[in-house]
Amino acid sequence: MFRTALRNVLAHKGRLLMTMLAVMLGTAFVAGTLVFTDTMGHALRTQNSKSYADIAVTVSDSEAVGRGYDHGGRAATGPTLTEDTRRALAALPGAADVRGVVSGFAGIADRKGALIGNGFSTTGTNYVPGADGTDPRYPLVAGRGPKDATEIALDTRTAEKGGFKLGDTVRVAVNGPVMQLKLTGTLHTNDPRVVAGGSLAAFDTATAQQLYLSPGRFAELDVRAEPGTDDTALLSAVKQAAPQGDGIEAKTGRELADEQDRMIAQGTKVLSTFLMAFAAIALFVGIFIIANTFSMLVAQRTRELALLRAVGATRRQITRSVKVEAALVGLTASVAGLLAGIGIAVGLKALLNGPMDANLPDGPLVIAPTTVLAAIAVGVLVTLIAAWLPARRASRIAPVAAMSSSEQPATQKSLRLRNTVGLLFSLAGAGALAAGAGGKEVKLVGLGAGLLLIGVFVLTPLLSRPLIALFAPLLRAVYGTPGKLARENALRNPRRTAATASALTIGVTLITSLTVVGASVNKAVDDSASSDLKADYTVAMQNFSMLSPEVAAQIARTPGVSAMSTERSVPVSVGGRGEGEGDSEWLTAVDAATIDQFTTVKIREGSADALAQGKLLVSSSRSEHGGYKVGDVLAVTYPDGSKGSLTVGGVLEADTAPAPVLAPEAVVGPHAQPGSGLNKVLVKGANGATEQLKQALRDATGGNPLIAVKGEKDIKAESRQAVTDILNMMYGLLGMSVVIAVLGVVNTMAMSVFERRREIGMLRAIGLDRLGIRRMVRLESLLIALFGGLVGVGLGVLVAWAGVRTMADSLKGITTVVPPLQIACFLLAASVIGLLAALWPAHRAARMDILGAIRSE
């Protein structure tokens, strides 16, 4: 039986080609994902180990790290790391030297004033020269390091992007006015944020401290050990000599490297899981093609299998023979898919490092044994699963069937059972979908979508007749006999039609769902920007760090500004609600007298004048989850250490809360730390939102590339671009599934033509010309593709509706928006896919020799 299976694979290799391609593409997706993430993870870990190679112990001040990236310039509330601390650690036995580190965000403007890199990876730090005038952490490529507040050094890639040369003036900013600094040197760095496309600005230590913390203060002290010194022993000595208090923590370099390795592993795991989800979709689509192919092969070999039964083959042997064929196909395709996946990983890395400028670290290609085994095992297993039902059917072929070569029709009992199972799955899925939408439970919606999808797949043969029948009058009227024959052929075997269409249905369902959700999100953001934002412009940092307080004063003096208001976050410790002392809460301090001029605030409970009365306003979600109620009195401890009480004066409507907790600036502002930054500045212009006012605001902030000035149009455009980018990425990842679905249609039509060659020969003999044959095959393929597209669109809209309902709390005013033009384009694309997939089968059918086709079995 093994020889029989091998012979059948070799004999039908042409008909198995599309199946092999489907398995190969799905396996390539899996292998490519594993190879790429393993390679990237290995390179990042290698780079990470280099970053900590010369650090024995690190002492960090978490408060200073946060201040550095907020640019607050506020006074410390606990022990700090100072120059005295650095000297004390350097004097410890076994310590070679100690490097003081200061870091934060620093935006570099290009020649046109635009930010180089993105706001979250624009890194600023201090350059620490040794006795030879160079900093070993940042090796010089050209020039020298900065020596005072008028100089700066940049990493080489940032200098190249900005077109800067030594001696040029570089425009640099943190959270306030732009500084004009002289470029004295270019550096090399393996900082992951910079390597990933960010920028590095190196200041002298005194300047960095002034910008990010306060004079003489460090965020981190890195201790380098003498040769032969035990890091653990040095760590104990450092802990004794370092300041004691909250926020001061000492760890070995190895511990820090291990922590980073775990973060890298977690990040690559998330990426791998994300990509694997799409690989699973591609493989799931492939299952329909494999099952369809083997079902057709079994049907075409009815006489052969029946004769084997007649000469003594058992049912188990017949089943085993078909499974061996599937295993051979899966193994061959999986090996090819593994090789293709390695090529995909190499190409993806080249793409990211080339046109996309991701600048991934260099490293060898990692092909782990588990990747090889996983890719081959997945391909073989998927093929065997898909071929199980056809193999089972093959074993049930009775010896008497040797008298007929036709496919055995399904019994009424099996059809009733299939329809019952499909109906139960569909009802369970619809129920879970409705419950998830009503309860805003994403997991329940996902479960419901999966069950509904399975149920519809099982019911697809039943659905095919009425849906395809809709096109019957049009086909007869426009195409005559070929149109009528195409309809009859599509309905001749509903199971085959269903399996072919279902592969396309999956892709259309997912694409439709994503599109509807994207359109709904865009509409909600547009409506929110139009109705809630009364300010003409908002001024805030691109990386969501704090604005310098001086920015508000600069904006207030800007010509054309008629009114302005500020928002800033003030952390407090809350007690007195039965939850224990020390519960932290962030208050958003606003100007009670002007806030309603800049944003829409609707009260659900309490007083609309709560802020003016010195009370708090809380969002409805914060009220529900945090237990805040109108009239609650909160005992608070402010950042400056003083204590007080605040009363909840109102609860906001769910869709009008600009922040979880609003507090009057006049009450909490005096207790904020001196120099604390602002979240944003809201501006109204004397003549409304004009380009002149927008430019004037940019000029008022010194053209700081990290500061964004946005109006209603900018907010809408930014949101739409973000949604578009996500959708395009999703469409690209789903493209593999669509390609496999197309292969499925091609495969089914080609095998159908081979199966019906005698029938086609008879049609030619009684007068149907080649054009009619081609038209018949193309229309049959078109009907199958349109059927799959219609079911996919219907399912996609339903799933998207439930998904949108779960977003009601997080995105106010969101409703389901079905873009008719895009939906029509999806159906048109399904039609084009059907026509293109039929080109080769239709050509093959039309070129068939009439007499040879009639004589065929």
Side-chain angles (χ1 to χ4, degrees), residues 584-653:
S584 60
E585 183 67 80
W586 284 89
L587 309 180
T588 299
V590 298
D591 184 351
T594 61
I595 183 63
D596 58 346
Q597 299 178 31
F598 297 91
T599 186
T600 301
V601 179
K602 295 181 181 178
I603 302 296
R604 189 179 74 181
E605 300 176 36
S607 171
D609 298 326
L611 289 175
Q613 297 168 3
K615 299 179 180 180
L616 303 178
L617 288 178
V618 300
S619 66
S620 57
S621 61
R622 192 71 186 89
S623 173
E624 293 167 4
H625 297 109
Y628 291 119
K629 299 181 180 62
V630 175
D632 283 353
V633 178
L634 312 179
V636 299
T637 302
Y638 293 107
D640 62 359
S642 62
K643 298 182 181 295
S645 62
L646 294 171
T647 303
V648 178
V651 178
L652 300 169
E653 291 284 357

Side-chain angles (χ1 to χ4, degrees), residues 164-230:
F164 300 123
K165 298 178 181 178
L166 296 183
D168 285 352
T169 298
V170 179
R171 300 177 70 247
V172 188
V174 286
N175 65 337
V178 170
M179 299 174 288
Q180 308 277 348
L181 305 179
K182 179 182 178 182
L183 180 63
T184 62
T186 56
L187 313 168
H188 172 73
T189 178
N190 56 12
D191 187 318
R193 294 166 296 182
V194 182
V195 171
S199 62
L200 176 70
F203 308 93
D204 70 285
T205 298
T207 301
Q209 290 173 331
Q210 184 67 41
L211 290 172
Y212 299 123
L213 296 171
S214 57
R217 188 179 178 190
F218 296 104
E220 182 180 298
L221 294 174
D222 295 336
V223 183
R224 186 168 63 86
E226 295 280 3
T229 302
D230 181 66

